[in-house]
Amino acid sequence: MSVLTSPRGKAEVVHCRRTESQDIFCIKSLIRKFTQKLFGRLNIIYLLEKANLAVTLCNDKEEIMAHAIFLDYPNWNVAKQDDWVSLFQELDSEIPCTPLNTLFMHFFVAVDEYSTGCLKEIIRTVFKAVPELYFIFLIVPTYVSLGSTLITVFDQVGNIPCLTYDEDFAVHICHRHDHYPQLHIRKARVEDHDDLMPIFMHYDNTLREIYGEYFLAELIEAQDEENHAVVCEVEGKAVGFMSVCSSVNLPLLHECFDLGPFHGFCVPHPDDLLEPLKESSSIQESQDTEIKSDSQGSQKVAEEPGVFASSEAIVETQEKESEESSFEDMLSGTFSRLSDEMQDVEQKFSVISVVGDEDLTLSSESSLPSFLIPEESSHFRPIYLGESAAFCIQLFCIDEKYEARSLDFMSFVFSLFPHKNFCLISVPHLTPEFVLIQNFVKVVPFSNCTLEHDLYVFHRAGLLRSIKIRLANFVDTAGVENLVSTLVLSRKILDDFAQYNEACRDPDGTALQVFVAEVAKQIVGIAVIRKEMDIEYIRSHYNIEDFIYFSHHQQEEHGRLHHFALNPIFRHYTKFFLKEILRLGYKSCLYYPVYPQSRDSKLQNSSAHSLTSALHYLVPVRPRRQIVYPLEKLGINAPSKEVSKDQSSYALNHTNRKLTLEPKVTVNARIVVVGASSVGISFLETLVFCSHLKFNNLTLISTHGLPGKKLLGSEQRKFLASDHCFNDKDYALMSLCSWVNVVVGRMTGIDRAAKRVVVSGNETVFYDHLILCTGQQYQVPCPTGASMDQHLTNREVLGNSKLRYTGKVPHNLFILNNEEDCVKALIWMRNNAILTEGKVIVYGNTIDAYTTVETLMHIGVKGNCIYFVYPPTESNITCINNYVIEMAVKDALSAAGVTIYQDALLAQWNDGQDPDPIHSACFTTSTKPFRLECSVFFSFYKKNVDYETFKAFNDACLVYDGRLVIDTTFHTNDIAIRAAGSLTKFSNRYYSNEWTHSNFSSKEIGFQLAAAMLSLFDPTLEPVTEPPADLDRLIPMYKGAKIQGGILPGSYYYLHIAKPAIPSPLDVQRSQPDFGSEIITGNVKDGTYFRLYINKYKLVEAITCFSKEPFPASNYIRLFGQHEQVLNNLCTRFDEKLIPDLYSYFTEPWCMAIFHDRFIDLKKELRQILNSKQEIDMPSMEQLAYKIEDEEINLKEKPQKYLQRVFEDSIYKNLLEKSILDYLHYNKYHLPMYAWPGII
């Protein structure tokens, strides 16, 4: 916040922020004729799309006071955007402008009264936001004066001609040192104490409490050769402090962190033991090192600065920036020394782009600890015998006003230790990432690391400012080969490099560009991009328009990033590299796909891109839900093949010019999710797709790792029913393993005091926030033990069936809870010839039991070999809850020869003898017992919390009452532990035991859980306020549909969509006075049954489909919650017998817009128009409806007719029509079947 004062003495409190699209109208209102003379006639929206930085200045009422746009190339076409540097350097040799330190002002407007103050505030903000920036140029026609505002900031340095027409332009410059200068750094003195203490106390007084009032003065006095204290000063006053020490506990760091990529922070020694002596051990260590790399895309940790150059040479550069060229000459001979070690790191950069399914050995295992290798402690660790090459920052503090210049300290402190190349700093996990360490590299810890801190490292060579990005040429061949020689996909990179040098395009004609990063005449980075040929597919399948206005980007401006490798010493220049790729390549957008790797393919497949170490500097793009089109029915009105084609799914990452100077907020908090349920996946998905946040420590603990491995991809039938939250394609489109560390194992304990989770009994995972969403699983059924001879009934033995089974689990008993269990059962049955000759018992009455019976018959088991045993139910509500469908399924089972037993309770296996394997099973009923022979036994008896999970909760003293008890904000009785999903129940103080998370959509629960936590990490969100005491007693109600579906016996495709509710029989629902109405077409026997339930408010509240033919379930899910009039006056048409078949009705072209993913946005926009007051003397349509409801208006006609008449005569009708037509036109690539004005 700053205060501006006008010449008339009026004051305004102002603040700067990044420009948003809704600012454009106000910005245009500030444009004057003089503005157009200075900058030309500009399309502001187009300019904002191409700007690197756009800043808006607002007052405390959020009224726009000023606006400026900055790009990385000149305006007025005085130079090509890829070739302006030499022209501007010739203007004044004293101005060392480079693409790194220069921006150009392309536009500026301000409120006249405050224009000078606004300009200075914007310029100061820009210099503060971009620490590398030193010069801002302004180019205007020579015949135009700058005016009284701009001349206060800019000085003329010369004139240059225009490329397009015969006219000269004046070049003006603004220097950093006039607005936000570099800080002066010097050794600290005792008298600085009084200046520094208020800064320390502003953040924390812990140090003063521990070490006394004058701890800082004592620290300054204690300086010696190993300990130094330095300050930054402004106008003679100390505004920042840094204490550095050359004594580093390297043995502890070697024990806790993987320092191999940094040569252990030691000087190389001839006797260093870097590899195990045995060849076999060497292979194992190599694999282990790969696993230690980071699964979160850009390898935030495994980066090798290596031995960059002699310390003395670098010290010279710190003393005089102008002598940098001579240093580079000295450097060129020694640069290659880092090659081998750097390549080892870059190898880690290249193994994860194609995400593997092979239980995560390359991707999801990687990241912080390698939990899948319990023997890690026995793995080889390098031994370094050289002297320490590192010093550490012990204490750092700086005034908030000058925090952006924190890196100014580094040059001075490195000069204090001329023989040290590494600067280290450790910070607690929950410390927000401050400006200084944003330029550091995060070091990966080992799995057994118990330190509560993250370790960051900065190499001396990272201070160099002479990095240059340019197009590659043939002379770079040797340097590129040396850079990428050890990468997994090095051959592909070199092939692309050779192809570029030969033809600058692929054999198929696709434009190809290769860029290199050069320092001291050495190649330190390479990037390969191609023209994006699938841009229409990307637009239609991904929400790319969350980040760009698509129509303002030409097709040739979209590029695909294929390879990116940058020496990690210069990692903090990654965004600059990307920015230069866009400038030099005449691109405005870059896309980077991450393909899932099929289980039978190798890493080097046709779609493999080498992993970009820049992944964390890109933003993940959400996939779009697609309409399932009736292509034959649409004919020529179907979407183009580019939109409707079915190709390999991939996760898309993106950057554009606007994002190159926009920082992400880094979150280092250790967030551990236990359970890969739909709730857990939805939670992780929500966090990962927060484009302005970067979560470094997301960990998933799951028995089988991440789902979505397509284990049953070749099977048309699935054993288990679906809740339609996620499918295999959704997992491929998310690529969670690019961002989430995966621990394959089972949680067996929680140590709340130490904040750690015990996995599989012997591994530990530390957390700051623990998320429990393990759900409930089918458990091994416990036989009651009733003997056939005793002739007992269910009533006499029912209590025994509720006990936990503790005996030996038979190997032919299958409890199917996930895809891995299904595959295991399928393989066992095929290997043991069960499909052709064995008897199968399916025990359970859930929908999963039905779908399993259908799958068994589909894969070859004869119906007369299947016994379907229903255990007694505890309520009169069945899993299908629709009598006609249940009867059709039973008829299909009977027709297939399946024998059904009702109300049967498992009594014994093998007549009470050894149950492994099961040869027979005895059951009791309400009358007489019976016995069945079997070769395999499937149980779907009851779902419950797994015993080991329950024991972990119980031992950790988490409140458990049948389920894990939570409050309305997902908290357990431990503030650091949250839980969600069917695992949980609300506390009894809410008096709502009938409502649990099981009643709601798992996907929505996961989203709401993430939303509740984001307020802890996202600075853009308002702090969560405590609800009033009375509202704290109300449980939250979620609105998303509860869905179940699958293929039932008889090959019936089944889908049921319903509003979250306490279950009740369908007949009871129909008997309620406010039931509403049903629309049913077809019949169950023919497999054409379609039921819609319309509630009393005319909204679709339940949908049931039961069909012999497959149907587009994702389309029908969009019908939920729609008003029947939106569905083309559904009720009226049905009453008039115009809808014989709902399946056919919902394939008609008119309803495609309803299935569109942006239809909900259209509805919100239309509602907003009706809510807004458009005419001064007239109420809004919403206000008018309220007045009618409150009988404030006496009507002589029906309210609906009155409202319709008023609407027809008002401005609202035209506004709504325009909005709908704009929607259809903007989405015409998805909705070409609709006409709009101008199409004919």
Side-chain angles (χ1 to χ4, degrees):
M1 292 282 185
S2 300
V3 178
L4 301 183
T5 305
S6 72
R8 294 190 296 171
K10 292 176 63 177
E12 286 278 5
V13 178
V14 297
H15 66 277
C16 283
R17 58 169 173 79
R18 291 179 181 268
T19 303
E20 299 169 354
S21 56
Q22 57 261 38
D23 299 337
I24 292 172
F25 178 79
C26 295
I27 292 169
K28 287 181 177 179
S29 69
L30 295 175
I31 296 176
R32 308 285 183 263
K33 287 185 178 179
F34 180 64
T35 309
Q36 295 180 354
K37 288 181 180 179
L38 284 173
F39 302 105
R41 296 176 63 87
L42 301 173
N43 182 331
I44 302 301
I45 300 177
Y46 177 82
L47 193 59
L48 283 174
E49 278 297 292
K50 302 304 173 68
N52 296 98
L53 185 61
V55 180
T56 296
L57 189 78
C58 302
N59 62 14
D60 53 357
K61 299 175 185 175
E62 286 301 315
E63 297 169 337
I64 293 178
M65 304 285 290
H67 169 74
I69 297 176
F70 302 88
L71 279 81
D72 55 3
Y73 58 87
N75 54 339
W76 286 111
N77 201 26
V78 297
K80 293 182 179 180
Q81 74 176 52
D82 62 338
D83 186 25
W84 59 262
V85 178
S86 58
L87 177 66
F88 280 78
Q89 287 177 344
E90 290 170 4
L91 277 175
D92 190 338
S93 58
E94 296 295 317
I95 302 175
C97 58
T98 67
L100 176 64
N101 64 20
T102 304
L103 284 177
F104 296 84
M105 179 184 277
H106 280 227
F107 185 73
F108 173 76
V109 289
V111 174
D112 295 334
E113 191 173 356
Y114 298 92
S115 58
T116 302
C118 288
L119 174 64
K120 290 182 177 179
E121 183 64 21
I122 285 178
I123 293 294
R124 193 185 73 85
T125 299
V126 171
F127 278 123
K128 183 177 180 180
V130 189
E132 301 85 9
L133 181 66
Y134 281 82
F135 310 107
I136 298 176
F137 284 103
L138 173 65
I139 300 168
V140 298
T142 51
Y143 63 84
V144 178
S145 66
L146 283 187
S148 59
T149 298
L150 292 169
I151 202 168
T152 62
V153 168
F154 290 93
D155 302 314
Q156 186 167 351
V157 291
N159 296 334
I160 53 178
C162 179
L163 295 178
T164 51
Y165 42 88
D166 188 17
E167 185 177 341
D168 285 350
F169 286 83
V171 178
H172 302 262
I173 191 170
C174 172
H175 293 269
R176 164 180 285 281
H177 58 71
D178 294 327
H179 299 274
Y180 197 77
Q182 273 188 275
L183 299 175
H184 172 60
I185 313 296
R186 59 168 173 79
K187 292 289 289 287
R189 299 187 289 262
V190 175
E191 49 266 34
D192 295 323
H193 174 273
D194 292 344
D195 291 337
L196 295 170
M197 281 307 294
I199 302 174
F200 273 95
M201 294 305 103
H202 173 72
Y203 293 103
D204 196 3
N205 62 357
T206 305
L207 290 172
R208 185 172 65 176
E209 291 175 359
I210 296 175
Y211 298 108
E213 185 76 27
Y214 301 101
F215 75 92
L216 197 56
E218 294 168 2
L219 186 62
I220 294 172
E221 276 188 325
Q223 294 183 74
D224 53 29
E225 291 183 0
E226 289 191 352
N227 300 276
H228 296 277
V230 298
V231 297
C232 58
E233 70 173 17
V234 175
E235 298 177 354
K237 180 181 178 181
V239 296
F241 176 84
M242 181 180 287
S243 170
V244 291
C245 175
S246 62
S247 178
V248 179
N249 189 349
L250 286 183
L252 177 63
L253 298 183
H254 290 163
E255 182 182 336
C256 295
F257 295 92
D258 180 10
L259 304 185
F262 307 96
H263 202 83
F265 299 143
C266 294
V267 175
H269 189 280
D271 296 329
D272 287 340
L273 188 60
L274 303 180
E275 296 180 353
L277 300 178
K278 296 180 180 180
E279 186 177 350
S280 60
S281 300
S282 175
I283 295 171
Q284 179 61 54
E285 172 61 15
S286 171
Q287 294 170 347
D288 185 33
T289 305
E290 284 188 351
I291 290 171
K292 294 297 186 304
S293 69
D294 185 295
S295 72
Q296 304 187 25
S298 63
Q299 277 57 341
K300 56 182 181 284
V301 285
E303 305 188 352
E304 168 57 280
V307 183
F308 190 82
S310 66
S311 303
E312 293 80 3
I314 296 180
V315 172
E316 291 178 20
T317 67
Q318 297 164 355
E319 294 172 353
K320 274 194 176 181
E321 187 73 19
S322 62
E323 296 176 13
E324 192 169 273
S325 59
S326 63
F327 161 65
E328 290 173 355
D329 294 335
M330 299 172 62
L331 180 62
S332 61
T334 58
F335 196 102
S336 60
R337 295 173 60 190
L338 70 92
S339 172
D340 294 338
E341 292 174 341
M342 199 278 292
Q343 289 163 359
D344 173 62
V345 176
E346 295 290 350
Q347 181 172 358
K348 300 172 186 180
F349 289 179
S350 297
V351 295
I352 310 167
S353 170
V354 180
V355 176
D357 287 329
E358 310 295 337
D359 257 20
L360 323 158
T361 51
L362 289 181
S363 57
S364 42
E365 263 188 65
S366 45
S367 180
L368 289 178
S370 169
F371 292 107
L372 299 188
I373 305 181
E375 310 84 12
E376 182 190 73
S377 57
S378 65
H379 286 182
F380 173 78
R381 301 277 177 86
I383 299 174
Y384 307 100
L385 302 176
E387 294 182 1
S388 169
F391 65 92
C392 65
I393 298 174
Q394 291 182 312
L395 202 57
F396 173 70
C397 190
I398 191 169
D399 191 312
E400 285 180 87
K401 286 200 301 186
Y402 305 99
E403 186 183 10
R405 299 305 311 170
S406 298
L407 202 62
D408 293 344
F409 275 101
M410 299 309 297
S411 180
F412 188 86
V413 296
F414 270 110
S415 70
L416 298 175
F417 301 104
H419 301 291
K420 306 284 188 183
N421 283 340
F422 298 99
C423 176
L424 311 179
I425 185 171
S426 67
V427 295
H429 297 299
L430 295 180
T431 303
E433 190 174 84
F434 45 94
V435 174
L436 179 67
I437 61 173
Q438 286 173 1
N439 296 282
F440 282 55
V441 175
K442 191 167 178 281
V443 183
V444 62
F446 286 127
S447 63
N448 58 355
C449 175
T450 58
L451 295 182
E452 294 292 320
H453 285 227
D454 289 313
L455 180 65
Y456 290 82
V457 59
F458 186 89
H459 191 275
R460 178 186 294 272
L463 296 170
L464 290 175
R465 304 278 174 107
S466 60
I467 185 169
K468 178 183 179 182
I469 314 299
R470 59 174 173 80
L471 282 166
N473 54 53
F474 184 77
V475 179
D476 300 322
T477 303
V480 170
E481 287 177 350
N482 189 42
L483 180 74
V484 305
S485 60
T486 61
L487 303 193
V488 172
L489 296 179
S490 60
R491 188 69 263 154
K492 293 193 71 172
I493 298 175
L494 293 174
D495 288 346
D496 286 344
F497 180 74
Q499 183 68 33
Y500 168 75
N501 283 323
E502 180 182 335
C504 293
R505 60 185 62 249
D506 286 329
D508 63 1
T510 305
L512 173 68
Q513 291 175 304
V514 178
F515 299 89
V516 293
E518 186 179 48
V519 176
K521 301 179 182 178
Q522 300 291 317
I523 304 301
V524 299
I526 183 171
V528 178
I529 69 169
R530 287 177 167 85
K531 180 182 175 182
E532 180 54 72
M533 304 303 292
D534 263 346
I535 193 59
E536 284 300 324
Y537 179 86
I538 286 176
R539 184 190 187 189
S540 60
H541 284 71
Y542 298 88
N543 273 306
I544 193 63
E545 286 159 315
D546 287 348
F547 304 100
I548 63 172
Y549 279 104
F550 190 85
S551 58
H552 290 287
H553 298 263
Q554 302 300 315
Q555 183 148 357
E556 61 271 12
E557 291 184 301
H558 298 276
R560 173 170 290 201
L561 183 63
H562 274 253
H563 308 289
F564 186 102
L566 180 64
N567 187 309
I569 291 175
F570 305 104
R571 192 198 69 164
H572 53 292
Y573 288 134
T574 301
K575 276 200 170 184
F576 170 66
F577 197 168
L578 293 171
K579 182 167 77 74
E580 284 294 274
I581 290 172
L582 294 171
R583 180 180 71 87
L584 298 172
Y586 288 85
K587 302 296 182 188
S588 60
C589 300
L590 284 180
Y591 304 93
Y592 176 72
V594 178
Y595 287 88
Q597 185 183 1
S598 59
R599 297 184 63 81
D600 55 352
S601 70
K602 302 299 181 186
L603 185 66
Q604 304 252 15
N605 63 19
S606 59
S607 60
H609 293 46
S610 66
L611 176 77
T612 167
S613 56
L615 189 57
H616 258 321
Y617 298 91
L618 310 178
V619 293
V621 185
R622 278 188 178 274
R624 294 180 63 179
R625 187 187 63 254
Q626 297 299 301
I627 302 171
V628 180
Y629 294 99
L631 295 175
E632 292 184 7
K633 197 165 188 176
L634 291 173
I636 61 172
N637 292 323
S640 66
K641 290 183 178 179
E642 286 76 14
V643 172
S644 60
K645 67 180 177 181
D646 188 18
Q647 66 176 41
S648 299
S649 301
Y650 55 82
L652 186 68
N653 300 277
H654 164 76
T655 193
N656 58 56
R657 298 184 63 87
K658 293 183 292 185
L659 296 176
T660 53
L661 292 178
E662 185 168 332
K664 287 186 178 183
V665 177
T666 300
V667 181
N668 282 328
R670 297 168 298 184
I671 302 173
V672 176
V673 179
V674 182
S677 62
S678 296
V679 173
I681 297 300
S682 176
F683 170 80
L684 290 170
E685 177 198 31
T686 306
L687 296 188
V688 162
F689 282 100
C690 288
S691 58
H692 60 293
L693 300 180
K694 180 174 73 173
F695 289 91
N696 278 337
N697 283 331
L698 293 177
T699 302
L700 172 69
I701 300 174
S702 171
T703 309
H704 299 290
L706 279 168
K709 301 184 181 70
K710 298 184 180 179
L711 301 177
L712 289 172
S714 60
E715 302 294 330
Q716 292 182 358
R717 303 291 197 270
K718 300 283 186 181
F719 281 88
L720 300 177
S722 170
D723 61 2
H724 287 271
C725 289
F726 300 101
N727 56 35
D728 289 337
K729 185 173 183 178
D730 294 328
Y731 295 122
L733 293 170
M734 286 189 286
S735 185
L736 285 181
C737 51
S738 296
W739 310 97
V740 179
N741 313 308
V742 179
V743 181
V744 177
R746 183 185 295 272
M747 179 185 70
T748 54
I750 303 173
D751 186 341
R752 289 169 54 192
K755 285 195 171 184
R756 62 178 185 174
V757 176
V758 181
V759 181
S760 300
N762 56 356
E763 296 299 321
T764 58
V765 182
F766 289 88
Y767 68 85
D768 296 307
H769 301 278
L770 180 61
I771 312 299
L772 302 172
C773 38
T774 55
Q776 293 185 323
Q777 295 79 35
Y778 294 113
Q779 305 297 320
V780 176
C782 181
T784 61
S787 172
M788 291 279 289
D789 300 333
Q790 296 174 304
H791 296 284
L792 299 175
T793 62
N794 288 345
R795 181 182 297 180
E796 297 167 284
V797 296
L798 188 60
N800 294 343
S801 66
K802 298 179 180 179
L803 300 177
R804 184 173 68 90
Y805 182 74
T806 57
K808 183 179 181 182
V809 179
H811 73 268
N812 60 340
L813 167 66
F814 292 101
I815 313 294
L816 306 184
N817 286 303
N818 48 55
E819 202 171 29
E820 284 79 3
D821 294 339
C822 299
V823 171
K824 181 181 175 183
L826 185 60
I827 292 173
W828 187 90
M829 292 177 69
R830 284 176 172 166
N831 291 343
N832 290 274
I834 304 298
L835 302 183
T836 55
E837 54 193 51
K839 300 284 187 179
V840 181
I841 294 177
V842 178
Y843 180 55
N845 52 14
T846 65
I847 191 168
D848 292 320
Y850 284 102
T851 55
T852 296
V853 170
E854 164 60 21
T855 302
L856 289 172
M857 290 191 288
H858 178 75
I859 62 177
V861 179
K862 295 177 181 178
N864 57 15
C865 295
I866 299 176
Y867 303 121
F868 197 174
V869 182
Y870 295 176
T873 58
E874 296 180 354
S875 72
N876 57 349
I877 305 168
T878 62
C879 63
I880 296 176
N881 198 17
N882 188 314
Y883 178 75
V884 294
I885 293 178
E886 289 167 11
M887 292 309 298
V889 171
K890 288 182 179 178
D891 290 345
L893 288 170
S894 299
V898 176
T899 307
I900 300 175
Y901 296 89
Q902 301 277 2
D903 290 332
L905 202 57
L906 178 64
Q908 287 182 329
W909 284 315
N910 297 346
D911 299 317
Q913 304 300 314
D914 182 7
D916 191 17
I918 300 173
H919 298 298
S920 66
C922 300
F923 299 87
T924 57
T925 66
S926 55
T927 54
K928 63 178 182 178
F930 62 91
R931 181 176 183 276
L932 300 174
E933 301 289 333
C934 71
S935 302
V936 61
F937 193 107
F938 287 91
S939 176
F940 300 93
Y941 178 42
K942 279 184 181 178
K943 282 191 173 184
N944 209 336
V945 177
D946 178 77
Y947 176 73
E948 284 189 343
T949 305
F950 159 73
K951 191 171 185 305
F953 298 157
N954 192 62
D955 293 345
C957 297
L958 295 176
V959 177
Y960 192 92
D961 179 19
R963 299 186 190 182
L964 190 59
V965 176
I966 59 170
D967 64 13
T968 55
T969 58
F970 303 95
H971 282 102
T972 63
N973 56 305
D974 186 325
I975 194 68
I977 302 178
R978 292 170 172 81
S982 59
L983 162 75
T984 65
K985 61 167 287 188
F986 290 112
S987 171
N988 288 336
R989 66 191 175 99
Y990 298 109
Y991 297 99
S992 295
N993 287 338
E994 66 274 17
W995 284 102
T996 70
H997 285 175
S998 301
N999 298 97
F1000 303 103
S1001 162
S1002 297
K1003 192 170 185 178
E1004 186 178 10
I1005 292 289
F1007 170 79
Q1008 295 293 346
L1009 171 60
M1013 284 198 67
L1014 278 175
S1015 59
L1016 300 175
F1017 311 116
D1018 191 346
T1020 64
L1021 297 178
E1022 293 291 328
V1024 177
T1025 55
E1026 290 292 326
D1030 54 341
L1031 288 181
D1032 188 41
R1033 298 294 186 214
L1034 299 176
I1035 63 169
M1037 298 300 289
Y1038 307 112
K1039 297 179 180 179
K1042 184 80 173 168
I1043 307 170
Q1044 68 175 10
I1047 305 177
L1048 301 181
S1051 294
Y1052 290 107
Y1053 292 84
Y1054 171 73
L1055 175 70
H1056 182 66
I1057 306 163
K1059 174 185 175 182
I1062 299 170
S1064 63
L1066 181 58
D1067 290 340
V1068 173
Q1069 297 174 31
R1070 285 170 171 158
S1071 66
Q1072 301 301 314
D1074 58 351
F1075 174 67
S1077 61
E1078 289 180 298
I1079 294 179
I1080 300 175
T1081 63
N1083 61 75
V1084 292
K1085 289 185 178 179
D1086 297 336
T1088 58
Y1089 181 85
F1090 197 127
R1091 172 183 178 266
L1092 287 176
Y1093 165 55
I1094 314 293
N1095 69 13
K1096 62 179 181 179
Y1097 303 110
K1098 301 296 183 180
L1099 300 177
V1100 176
E1101 201 167 277
I1103 304 162
T1104 306
C1105 301
F1106 188 74
S1107 170
K1108 278 285 189 181
E1109 299 295 326
F1111 50 78
S1114 60
N1115 283 2
Y1116 297 161
I1117 291 171
R1118 310 328 310 164
L1119 299 174
F1120 176 80
Q1122 303 290 356
H1123 195 279
E1124 61 90 13
Q1125 287 187 342
V1126 174
L1127 305 181
N1128 213 358
N1129 294 311
L1130 177 68
C1131 292
T1132 303
R1133 288 173 180 271
F1134 182 75
D1135 292 340
E1136 294 173 356
K1137 299 188 176 0
L1138 297 177
I1139 306 176
D1141 178 23
L1142 284 171
Y1143 289 105
S1144 176
Y1145 185 69
F1146 289 121
T1147 59
E1148 293 175 7
W1150 65 264
C1151 61
M1152 294 300 111
I1154 297 171
F1155 302 145
H1156 194 262
D1157 63 324
R1158 291 179 181 163
F1159 185 68
I1160 187 172
D1161 297 326
L1162 173 66
K1163 288 175 64 178
K1164 288 178 181 177
E1165 185 178 329
L1166 299 180
R1167 182 66 182 263
Q1168 191 173 1
I1169 291 172
L1170 293 174
N1171 289 351
S1172 61
K1173 193 168 183 177
Q1174 300 290 338
E1175 298 172 297
I1176 298 175
D1177 55 343
M1178 285 288 293
S1180 69
M1181 294 301 297
E1182 184 184 49
Q1183 291 170 338
L1184 198 61
Y1186 278 126
K1187 286 186 177 183
I1188 295 173
E1189 181 71 20
D1190 297 337
E1191 299 182 351
E1192 294 181 19
I1193 301 177
N1194 294 321
L1195 298 179
K1196 297 179 181 179
E1197 56 188 325
K1198 289 184 178 181
Q1200 189 172 358
K1201 285 189 175 181
Y1202 171 77
L1203 284 172
Q1204 187 169 352
R1205 180 170 55 79
V1206 171
F1207 173 76
E1208 297 271 350
D1209 297 338
S1210 70
I1211 192 174
Y1212 290 102
K1213 183 174 185 291
N1214 291 332
L1215 290 174
L1216 259 64
E1217 287 178 351
K1218 181 180 182 303
S1219 180
I1220 293 170
L1221 289 172
D1222 288 345
Y1223 164 79
L1224 293 174
H1225 187 267
Y1226 193 73
N1227 296 287
K1228 61 184 178 183
Y1229 54 90
H1230 270 150
L1231 303 170
M1233 64 289 301
Y1234 291 87
W1236 62 86
I1239 195 173
I1240 300 174

